[in-house]
Amino acid sequence: SYELTQPPSVSVSPGQTARITCSGDALPKQYGYWYQQKPGQAPVLVIYKDSERPSGIPERFSGSSSGTTVTLTISGVQAEDEADYYCQSADSSSTYVVFGGGTKLTVL
Amino acid sequence: QVQLVQSGSELKKPGASVKVSCKASGYTFTSYAMNWVRQAPGQGLEWMGWINTNTGNPTYAQGFTGRFVFSLDTSVSTSYLQISSLKAEDTAVYYCARSAGYCSGGSCYDWFDPWGQGTLVTVSS
């Protein structure tokens, strides 16, 4: 079955830039999407179609895509950005949805 | 505003059934598909499948066939997830999430926004 691979954890100091990657063979054909999940809360969409930002999401959140990897970048990380981040995409034939395993972002 | 409100936590014994509801508001219910996502304790997100809110036709992901049933009541803009023959490993938070994507040129692209607040289902004797 198709898988998306994320690093289990990323740590950054406040004000620095965090980059979280997500790799999958179908990503050249499919968009990547990113969700933020804080403890005890439902996931929230922060990036869609690789790099689009929903209304209400701070500008410090951005996304990019290159080959088989999509990347979520958080510029000027703030303490409130500490959360789990999940990428999501689909298989090349758009048959099923898949989530990455999640990345825990720690703000030091 | 667009909102999905789920039913409350459930505690069930092994072998029992549970039905989780997801009430939509703030948009035309039948214009967007509804998805279900499972999150076991301390684990990641797992897509269970989706239901076409126009036709009621469900699609189940691998591993969620047989005991899992998606249904609708369009008169009250509500989606349901029913799980039968509950097992301890079904203990998880279950989320409904509205599809926000589209199909174009023979390909479909889908993402989820918004999500319900989640329903914790605990299976324990």
Side-chain angles (χ1 to χ4, degrees):
Chain A
S1 62
Y2 182 49
E3 294 183 352
L4 295 175
T5 301
Q6 298 181 232
S9 63
V10 169
S11 300
V12 295
S13 299
Q16 299 300 303
T17 296
R19 293 181 179 85
I20 301 173
T21 59
C22 173
S23 299
D25 289 342
L27 286 174
K29 298 181 180 179
Q30 291 285 351
Y31 290 116
Y33 313 94
W34 291 95
Y35 303 89
Q36 176 193 66
Q37 187 181 34
K38 296 182 178 180
Q41 298 184 20
V44 172
L45 179 73
V46 294
I47 293 290
Y48 66 101
K49 291 175 64 179
D50 290 344
S51 59
E52 300 292 322
R53 193 174 53 248
S55 61
I57 300 301
E59 290 185 8
R60 64 180 181 274
F61 288 86
S62 63
S64 61
S65 175
S66 179
T68 58
T69 299
V70 292
T71 301
L72 173 68
T73 300
I74 310 171
S75 305
V77 167
Q78 300 182 6
E80 67 197 52
D81 299 330
E82 187 163 283
D84 292 326
Y85 290 85
Y86 293 92
C87 63
Q88 176 242 309
S89 188
D91 68 302
S92 57
S93 59
S94 304
T95 303
Y96 57 88
V97 168
V98 63
F99 288 97
T103 298
K104 181 175 182 58
L105 176 65
T106 300
V107 182
L108 301 171
Chain B
Q1 76 281 23
V2 176
Q3 196 174 8
L4 302 176
V5 178
Q6 298 184 224
S7 49
S9 298
E10 302 269 8
L11 173 60
K12 296 290 184 180
K13 295 189 183 304
S17 296
V18 68
K19 193 169 187 177
V20 176
S21 68
C22 169
K23 183 171 177 58
S25 61
Y27 71 98
T28 301
F29 180 69
T30 51
S31 293
Y32 298 84
M34 191 67 73
N35 296 265
W36 289 93
V37 176
R38 182 172 75 177
Q39 187 169 37
Q43 302 301 308
L45 304 172
E46 190 174 16
W47 181 68
M48 300 174 67
W50 65 285
I51 185 165
N52 184 317
T53 53
N54 255 315
T55 65
N57 183 47
T59 298
Y60 300 98
Q62 201 169 11
F64 293 101
T65 56
R67 298 189 299 116
F68 301 84
V69 176
F70 307 148
S71 61
L72 305 169
D73 185 343
T74 56
S75 68
V76 290
S77 300
T78 300
S79 302
Y80 300 94
L81 163 66
Q82 184 162 0
I83 311 171
S84 58
S85 303
L86 283 163
K87 307 174 183 180
E89 50 263 42
D90 294 323
T91 294
V93 175
Y94 292 85
Y95 293 100
C96 59
R98 191 188 74 165
S99 281
Y102 63 95
C103 293
S104 174
S107 294
C108 294
Y109 309 99
D110 201 10
W111 60 97
F112 305 147
D113 185 38
W115 296 56
Q117 83 277 18
T119 297
L120 173 62
V121 175
T122 303
V123 184
S124 174
S125 55

